[in-house]
Amino acid sequence: LMVEQTSFDPDELDGTYAKTKAAATQYLLDNHGDVELVVLHPSACIGPYDFKVSSVGSMVRMCMKGAFPITMTFGAYNFVDVRDVAKGTYAAAKKGRNGECYILCGNYMSVDSFIRTLCRVTGHKEPKIKIGNGIVSIAAPIMEVYYNLTKTTPLFTRYSIRKLKANCN
């Protein structure tokens, strides 16, 4: 169920990003006074010209090289094309109601479906190995140490695994 919320409690959320975003949004909703305010909540933005490589971006780049040999049996996320977010932002600026919040989202997609779609689109073989939550949960802390040592963008962390298992809508 998707609901355009009008109040946000950072204490109910997981992760620094979510907590600070909720606190800032609530502050603006409570204190915008005479300034017109429309709040947008995009889901996970993906699209062309993504210059800051995220975990998802790293995975996409690996798939494009045919170097992503696994998929997962769990998890999902809601992705939206960044170009649609730009159009939605423009529409909200023109037609949004003062003090209202709007969700800008795309499609709910399982991790397995996302990876397989990437492989098909990039012309690479789909992974034959599916790993479950148990293995990934054990590997995540070890991988976090590796990514910290190599100063590279992690493909997954304990936090990202929690997010993939949470209600992404």
Side-chain angles (χ1 to χ4, degrees), residues 41-65:
H41 304 288
S43 59
C45 296
I46 58 174
Y49 314 112
D50 190 355
F51 297 106
K52 182 180 180 287
V53 181
S54 62
S55 297
V56 173
S58 293
M59 184 175 63
V60 169
R61 289 177 182 191
M62 288 179 74
C63 283
M64 289 174 71
K65 295 176 186 173

Tab-separated table of all heavy atoms in Angstrom, residues 41-65:
chain	number	residue	atom	x	y	z
A	41	HIS	N	8.544	12.699	-3.130
A	41	HIS	CA	9.211	11.507	-2.607
A	41	HIS	C	9.449	10.532	-3.753
A	41	HIS	O	8.616	9.663	-4.018
A	41	HIS	CB	8.347	10.828	-1.536
A	41	HIS	CG	7.970	11.711	-0.402
A	41	HIS	ND1	8.876	12.114	0.554
A	41	HIS	CD2	6.795	12.298	-0.075
A	41	HIS	CE1	8.266	12.893	1.425
A	41	HIS	NE2	7.005	13.023	1.065
A	42	PRO	N	10.577	10.660	-4.448
A	42	PRO	CA	10.850	9.693	-5.515
A	42	PRO	C	11.342	8.375	-4.924
A	42	PRO	O	11.988	8.358	-3.872
A	42	PRO	CB	11.947	10.370	-6.331
A	42	PRO	CG	12.617	11.299	-5.377
A	42	PRO	CD	11.565	11.723	-4.377
A	43	SER	N	11.014	7.291	-5.600
A	43	SER	CA	11.573	5.997	-5.188
A	43	SER	C	13.011	5.942	-5.710
A	43	SER	O	13.608	6.975	-5.981
A	43	SER	CB	10.695	4.855	-5.706
A	43	SER	OG	10.587	4.878	-7.114
A	44	ALA	N	13.582	4.776	-5.870
A	44	ALA	CA	14.982	4.645	-6.295
A	44	ALA	C	15.130	5.090	-7.747
A	44	ALA	O	14.610	4.463	-8.656
A	44	ALA	CB	15.442	3.204	-6.142
A	45	CYS	N	15.825	6.209	-7.933
A	45	CYS	CA	15.988	6.785	-9.277
A	45	CYS	C	17.075	6.040	-10.045
A	45	CYS	O	18.179	5.827	-9.534
A	45	CYS	CB	16.369	8.252	-9.175
A	45	CYS	SG	15.107	9.287	-8.436
A	46	ILE	N	16.734	5.665	-11.273
A	46	ILE	CA	17.721	5.071	-12.170
A	46	ILE	C	17.554	5.728	-13.532
A	46	ILE	O	16.500	6.281	-13.838
A	46	ILE	CB	17.576	3.534	-12.281
A	46	ILE	CG1	16.177	3.146	-12.762
A	46	ILE	CG2	17.904	2.855	-10.961
A	46	ILE	CD1	16.006	1.663	-13.025
A	47	GLY	N	18.600	5.680	-14.321
A	47	GLY	CA	18.510	6.248	-15.651
A	47	GLY	C	19.876	6.607	-16.194
A	47	GLY	O	20.906	6.358	-15.566
A	48	PRO	N	19.872	7.217	-17.361
A	48	PRO	CA	21.139	7.558	-18.011
A	48	PRO	C	21.886	8.675	-17.288
A	48	PRO	O	21.286	9.443	-16.536
A	48	PRO	CB	20.709	8.002	-19.407
A	48	PRO	CG	19.310	8.475	-19.243
A	48	PRO	CD	18.720	7.626	-18.148
A	49	TYR	N	23.171	8.735	-17.543
A	49	TYR	CA	24.047	9.806	-17.034
A	49	TYR	C	24.136	9.817	-15.516
A	49	TYR	O	24.223	10.871	-14.902
A	49	TYR	CB	23.604	11.178	-17.566
A	49	TYR	CG	23.317	11.154	-19.040
A	49	TYR	CD1	22.021	11.317	-19.519
A	49	TYR	CD2	24.332	10.904	-19.962
A	49	TYR	CE1	21.746	11.266	-20.878
A	49	TYR	CE2	24.069	10.846	-21.327
A	49	TYR	CZ	22.777	11.035	-21.776
A	49	TYR	OH	22.504	10.977	-23.103
A	50	ASP	N	24.146	8.653	-14.913
A	50	ASP	CA	24.279	8.538	-13.463
A	50	ASP	C	25.773	8.567	-13.142
A	50	ASP	O	26.457	7.558	-13.261
A	50	ASP	CB	23.643	7.229	-12.982
A	50	ASP	CG	23.529	7.152	-11.473
A	50	ASP	OD1	24.021	8.065	-10.792
A	50	ASP	OD2	22.952	6.178	-10.981
A	51	PHE	N	26.278	9.730	-12.765
A	51	PHE	CA	27.713	9.895	-12.584
A	51	PHE	C	28.202	9.486	-11.204
A	51	PHE	O	29.364	9.164	-11.041
A	51	PHE	CB	28.121	11.341	-12.873
A	51	PHE	CG	27.841	11.721	-14.300
A	51	PHE	CD1	26.790	12.554	-14.613
A	51	PHE	CD2	28.602	11.209	-15.331
A	51	PHE	CE1	26.517	12.893	-15.923
A	51	PHE	CE2	28.343	11.531	-16.649
A	51	PHE	CZ	27.295	12.387	-16.952
A	52	LYS	N	27.332	9.507	-10.208
A	52	LYS	CA	27.730	9.062	-8.872
A	52	LYS	C	27.335	7.595	-8.768
A	52	LYS	O	26.159	7.266	-8.733
A	52	LYS	CB	27.020	9.877	-7.788
A	52	LYS	CG	27.459	9.464	-6.396
A	52	LYS	CD	26.748	10.297	-5.350
A	52	LYS	CE	27.175	9.909	-3.973
A	52	LYS	NZ	26.649	8.645	-3.514
A	53	VAL	N	28.328	6.752	-8.737
A	53	VAL	CA	28.054	5.322	-8.776
A	53	VAL	C	27.546	4.850	-7.415
A	53	VAL	O	28.241	4.929	-6.411
A	53	VAL	CB	29.303	4.520	-9.185
A	53	VAL	CG1	28.992	3.041	-9.231
A	53	VAL	CG2	29.807	4.999	-10.535
A	54	SER	N	26.315	4.369	-7.424
A	54	SER	CA	25.692	3.809	-6.233
A	54	SER	C	25.889	2.304	-6.245
A	54	SER	O	26.477	1.749	-7.175
A	54	SER	CB	24.200	4.133	-6.248
A	54	SER	OG	23.604	3.518	-7.378
A	55	SER	N	25.349	1.632	-5.235
A	55	SER	CA	25.397	0.165	-5.217
A	55	SER	C	24.679	-0.403	-6.435
A	55	SER	O	25.166	-1.309	-7.096
A	55	SER	CB	24.760	-0.376	-3.939
A	55	SER	OG	25.490	0.044	-2.823
A	56	VAL	N	23.510	0.163	-6.738
A	56	VAL	CA	22.754	-0.297	-7.899
A	56	VAL	C	23.536	0.014	-9.171
A	56	VAL	O	23.638	-0.813	-10.085
A	56	VAL	CB	21.344	0.333	-7.944
A	56	VAL	CG1	20.630	-0.013	-9.241
A	56	VAL	CG2	20.523	-0.117	-6.747
A	57	GLY	N	24.141	1.211	-9.223
A	57	GLY	CA	24.946	1.580	-10.387
A	57	GLY	C	26.116	0.648	-10.595
A	57	GLY	O	26.445	0.273	-11.732
A	58	SER	N	26.766	0.237	-9.517
A	58	SER	CA	27.879	-0.719	-9.621
A	58	SER	C	27.392	-2.044	-10.177
A	58	SER	O	28.048	-2.658	-11.029
A	58	SER	CB	28.519	-0.948	-8.247
A	58	SER	OG	29.158	0.206	-7.808
A	59	MET	N	26.234	-2.489	-9.700
A	59	MET	CA	25.673	-3.742	-10.179
A	59	MET	C	25.321	-3.640	-11.665
A	59	MET	O	25.603	-4.546	-12.443
A	59	MET	CB	24.432	-4.111	-9.367
A	59	MET	CG	23.845	-5.450	-9.726
A	59	MET	SD	22.469	-5.903	-8.654
A	59	MET	CE	21.299	-4.622	-9.005
A	60	VAL	N	24.729	-2.525	-12.062
A	60	VAL	CA	24.377	-2.321	-13.474
A	60	VAL	C	25.633	-2.362	-14.330
A	60	VAL	O	25.675	-3.035	-15.376
A	60	VAL	CB	23.621	-0.989	-13.668
A	60	VAL	CG1	23.494	-0.642	-15.139
A	60	VAL	CG2	22.249	-1.059	-13.006
A	61	ARG	N	26.679	-1.683	-13.909
A	61	ARG	CA	27.929	-1.667	-14.684
A	61	ARG	C	28.545	-3.053	-14.785
A	61	ARG	O	29.081	-3.423	-15.828
A	61	ARG	CB	28.898	-0.657	-14.084
A	61	ARG	CG	28.441	0.757	-14.333
A	61	ARG	CD	29.314	1.776	-13.699
A	61	ARG	NE	28.738	3.103	-13.973
A	61	ARG	CZ	29.353	4.232	-13.751
A	61	ARG	NH1	30.561	4.236	-13.254
A	61	ARG	NH2	28.760	5.378	-14.023
A	62	MET	N	28.476	-3.819	-13.697
A	62	MET	CA	28.998	-5.194	-13.754
A	62	MET	C	28.184	-6.035	-14.721
A	62	MET	O	28.735	-6.815	-15.495
A	62	MET	CB	29.010	-5.815	-12.356
A	62	MET	CG	30.078	-5.244	-11.450
A	62	MET	SD	30.027	-5.984	-9.802
A	62	MET	CE	30.727	-7.589	-10.138
A	63	CYS	N	26.855	-5.885	-14.697
A	63	CYS	CA	25.992	-6.630	-15.621
A	63	CYS	C	26.292	-6.252	-17.060
A	63	CYS	O	26.301	-7.109	-17.954
A	63	CYS	CB	24.521	-6.375	-15.314
A	63	CYS	SG	23.902	-7.273	-13.880
A	64	MET	N	26.572	-4.973	-17.296
A	64	MET	CA	26.870	-4.513	-18.656
A	64	MET	C	28.165	-5.137	-19.184
A	64	MET	O	28.346	-5.276	-20.383
A	64	MET	CB	26.973	-2.987	-18.694
A	64	MET	CG	25.618	-2.314	-18.518
A	64	MET	SD	25.729	-0.522	-18.374
A	64	MET	CE	26.172	-0.087	-20.043
A	65	LYS	N	29.057	-5.518	-18.271
A	65	LYS	CA	30.315	-6.162	-18.661
A	65	LYS	C	30.191	-7.684	-18.649
A	65	LYS	O	31.158	-8.379	-18.921
A	65	LYS	CB	31.428	-5.749	-17.699
A	65	LYS	CG	31.766	-4.279	-17.752
A	65	LYS	CD	32.806	-3.952	-16.690
A	65	LYS	CE	33.062	-2.462	-16.613
A	65	LYS	NZ	33.934	-2.124	-15.485
